[in-house]
Amino acid sequence: MPKYAANDLSRSVEDYLKVIYHLTESGESASTTAIADVLDLAAPSVSGMIKRLAEAGLAEHQPYKGVTLTKDGRHAALRMLRRHRVIETYLVSHLGYTWDNVHDEAEKLEHAVSEDLVERLSRALGDPRFDPHGDPIPAADGQIVDVSTTPLPDIPVGESVTISRVDTGSAERLRWLAGAGLVPGVRITMLDHQPFNGPVTVSLNGARRVVGRELAEQLLCTRPE
Amino acid sequence: MPKYAANDLSRSVEDYLKVIYHLTESGESASTTAIADVLDLAAPSVSGMIKRLAEAGLAEHQPYKGVTLTKDGRHAALRMLRRHRVIETYLVSHLGYTWDNVHDEAEKLEHAVSEDLVERLSRALGDPRFDPHGDPIPAADGQIVDVSTTPLPDIPVGESVTISRVDTGSAERLRWLAGAGLVPGVRITMLDHQPFNGPVTVSLNGARRVVGRELAEQLLCTRPE
DNA sequence: CTTTAGACTTAGCTATGCCTAAATACGCCG
DNA sequence: CGGCGTATTTAGGCATAGCTAAGTCTAAAG
């Protein structure tokens, strides 16, 4: 018999679940310190919350080894992710926000919107599958598509690719990228790699763009065929 | 020098301020029990919060006599009222909500939206001055229009008036009224009063509507000239 | 003028979620 | 293998905001 999904988690719990979800996406478990860093909290506060999450059946904790989400916890985290990304998309396409300033607003709203409102927002948008940063929006049932992408610096010279995802939360970087036209959906061709972690040069619509290595790593591309 | 408006009140504080604002609109001070009833809290909890509100300079408390808002408190309450009504209006006109089901959603969102978002919503609506229930929306600076209205049962037979405001939060009543076409902006003519607090009969667009006294009291009308 | 019901406040407890300080475990380096 | 630094947990507090139980004030009725 499935447990009733606890649908009334506190704001804090929701935030922890989201962070743990992100930290464990690559398979490893999330450490206390890593969580504390992201949420800007003291480590003991995180220790305490991890215990509560485990008791609530949302997370599994191996003391001193880290924490992972249970099925319930992952489900709740995906619900938050859906909310966040639907809200961001709506704010950008219907209320004049730009992709560099939606994050904070969505961060607050995602804890306040009802299931119903999220679905209305999604429908008003035509049930988009990606948000303005190219991040996939989980479906209402928690399904999330897994697009295989390659960081821009790993693209060989001469190859043409499509930018599919921009993996930074930095408003400054997002603004610069938007100004340079380097946004999801755009087709670019790799022209040059400089060695020793130097910049890469790409062309888009005939124009040249030089992008520093660190930023280029955050431009995730889909390769042809 | 004006005090900086405390812009980071807790959800609870915001709720208390709203309730005290409503209870004191008619000039009297709000009693502990009245506040407790509306918020569905125990009286001692309210006593405690009133003390905190007074310490924060948001309310004035005469022990055993009731509480009123200070200028700061009233300002914060009006800010919440603006948020609530702008959100309700947006949900109805852009997201397919009906006037009987927006309240709960707005109640949660009003604590989460930023000043910026409220102004964007308002602009997207053309800066409306009334919400779907006909309640005036305070301006961003706290100005609120005071429309003088008359409860429907006080309209003499034969007079034609416009429904300007529907003063009930009951979803059932709102649904019935919408079905009967008795919504703000509609012009009706008083046909009959039954005695002993009996129902009133009105015509709208040639149709007759019989409305019980209690409900009719909640239909606030503007009279000609 | 007293009594008394009901409104209001005080006292003291609970839960959440944060903190600092102190204790303890892990794992690496010599 | 032992020690040491870092990560982690435990212990003990604090603030907010709720609760019940008990005491106190007000005002109306006798």
Side-chain angles (χ1 to χ4, degrees):
Chain A
M1 193 185 297
K3 255 186 229 171
Y4 292 110
N7 232 37
D8 52 338
L9 306 173
S10 74
R11 208 208 135 118
S12 287
V13 168
E14 290 179 341
D15 282 337
Y16 275 90
L17 292 177
K18 261 187 17 180
V19 170
I20 297 171
Y21 178 85
H22 283 302
L23 291 172
T24 55
E25 246 181 319
S26 40
E28 303 113 56
S29 64
S31 75
T32 303
T33 329
I35 299 169
D37 279 354
V38 177
L39 289 174
D40 200 20
L41 297 174
S45 310
V46 175
S47 261
M49 179 58 92
I50 287 175
K51 190 167 295 177
R52 285 190 293 267
L53 292 177
E55 271 158 22
L58 295 166
E60 263 162 49
H61 184 210
Q62 321 255 198
Y64 295 98
K65 297 292 184 151
V67 63
T68 54
L69 295 180
T70 61
K71 208 175 158 211
D72 280 4
R74 196 162 29 249
H75 192 266
L78 282 165
R79 210 181 57 225
M80 296 313 295
L81 214 56
R82 171 170 176 78
R83 287 163 182 233
H84 185 95
R85 290 179 180 169
V86 166
I87 291 166
E88 282 200 347
T89 310
Y90 191 89
L91 292 177
V92 167
S93 58
H94 283 66
L95 287 163
Y97 280 77
T98 50
W99 73 342
D100 55 282
N101 70 356
V102 281
H103 187 79
D104 293 351
E105 192 78 51
E107 200 72 20
K108 287 176 66 189
L109 287 173
E110 67 189 9
H111 302 290
V113 297
S114 69
E115 211 76 37
D116 182 33
L117 179 52
V118 178
E119 297 319 314
R120 283 174 193 264
L121 293 174
S122 173
R123 244 173 292 137
L125 291 162
D127 292 315
R129 297 174 45 217
F130 298 91
D131 77 6
H133 308 92
D135 298 322
I137 300 177
D141 64 5
Q143 289 279 86
I144 185 166
V145 305
D146 185 17
V147 179
S148 107
T149 60
T150 310
L152 182 56
D154 297 352
I155 302 297
V157 168
E159 189 170 319
S160 289
V161 297
T162 303
I163 298 177
S164 71
R165 203 166 166 180
V166 177
D167 188 25
T168 177
S170 153
E172 282 181 2
R173 289 177 184 213
L174 289 169
R175 268 195 297 280
W176 186 87
L177 287 169
L182 296 169
V183 300
V186 156
R187 191 157 186 77
I188 57 179
T189 304
M190 176 60 68
L191 296 181
D192 181 59
H193 293 135
Q194 285 298 315
F196 315 121
N197 290 326
V200 304
T201 306
V202 300
S203 77
L204 81 160
N205 301 328
R208 295 170 82 85
R209 298 284 184 255
V210 181
V211 184
R213 186 51 146 270
E214 195 187 309
L215 184 51
E217 291 283 354
Q218 298 177 323
L219 295 176
L220 306 180
C221 306
T222 47
R223 306 173 73 167
E225 105 251 25
Chain B
M1 195 184 297
K3 254 187 231 170
Y4 293 111
N7 234 38
D8 53 340
L9 307 173
S10 74
R11 209 210 135 119
S12 288
V13 168
E14 290 178 343
D15 281 336
Y16 275 91
L17 292 177
K18 262 187 14 178
V19 169
I20 298 171
Y21 178 85
H22 283 302
L23 290 172
T24 55
E25 246 180 317
S26 41
E28 303 114 54
S29 65
S31 74
T32 302
T33 330
I35 299 168
D37 279 356
V38 177
L39 289 174
D40 200 22
L41 297 175
S45 309
V46 175
S47 262
M49 179 57 93
I50 286 174
K51 189 167 296 176
R52 286 191 292 269
L53 293 177
E55 272 159 20
L58 295 166
E60 263 162 48
H61 185 212
Q62 320 257 197
Y64 295 97
K65 298 288 183 158
V67 62
T68 55
L69 295 180
T70 61
K71 206 176 160 212
D72 280 4
R74 196 161 29 250
H75 192 266
L78 283 165
R79 209 181 57 224
M80 295 313 294
L81 215 56
R82 171 170 176 78
R83 287 163 183 235
H84 185 95
R85 292 179 178 169
V86 167
I87 292 166
E88 283 201 347
T89 310
Y90 190 89
L91 292 178
V92 167
S93 59
H94 283 66
L95 288 164
Y97 279 77
T98 51
W99 73 342
D100 55 281
N101 70 357
V102 280
H103 187 78
D104 292 351
E105 192 78 51
E107 200 72 20
K108 288 175 66 190
L109 287 173
E110 68 189 8
H111 302 291
V113 297
S114 70
E115 212 75 38
D116 182 33
L117 179 51
V118 177
E119 297 319 313
R120 281 174 195 264
L121 293 174
S122 173
R123 243 173 291 139
L125 291 161
D127 291 316
R129 297 171 49 216
F130 298 92
D131 76 7
H133 308 93
D135 298 322
I137 299 177
D141 64 5
Q143 288 280 85
I144 185 167
V145 306
D146 186 14
V147 178
S148 109
T149 60
T150 310
L152 182 57
D154 297 352
I155 303 297
V157 169
E159 188 169 322
S160 289
V161 297
T162 303
I163 299 177
S164 70
R165 201 165 166 183
V166 177
D167 188 25
T168 177
S170 152
E172 283 180 2
R173 290 177 183 214
L174 289 169
R175 267 195 298 278
W176 186 87
L177 287 168
L182 296 169
V183 299
V186 155
R187 192 157 185 79
I188 57 179
T189 304
M190 176 61 68
L191 297 181
D192 181 58
H193 292 136
Q194 285 298 314
F196 313 121
N197 290 327
V200 304
T201 307
V202 300
S203 77
L204 81 158
N205 301 330
R208 297 168 82 84
R209 297 283 186 256
V210 182
V211 184
R213 184 51 145 271
E214 196 187 308
L215 184 51
E217 290 283 356
Q218 299 177 323
L219 295 176
L220 305 180
C221 305
T222 47
R223 308 173 70 168
E225 102 251 26

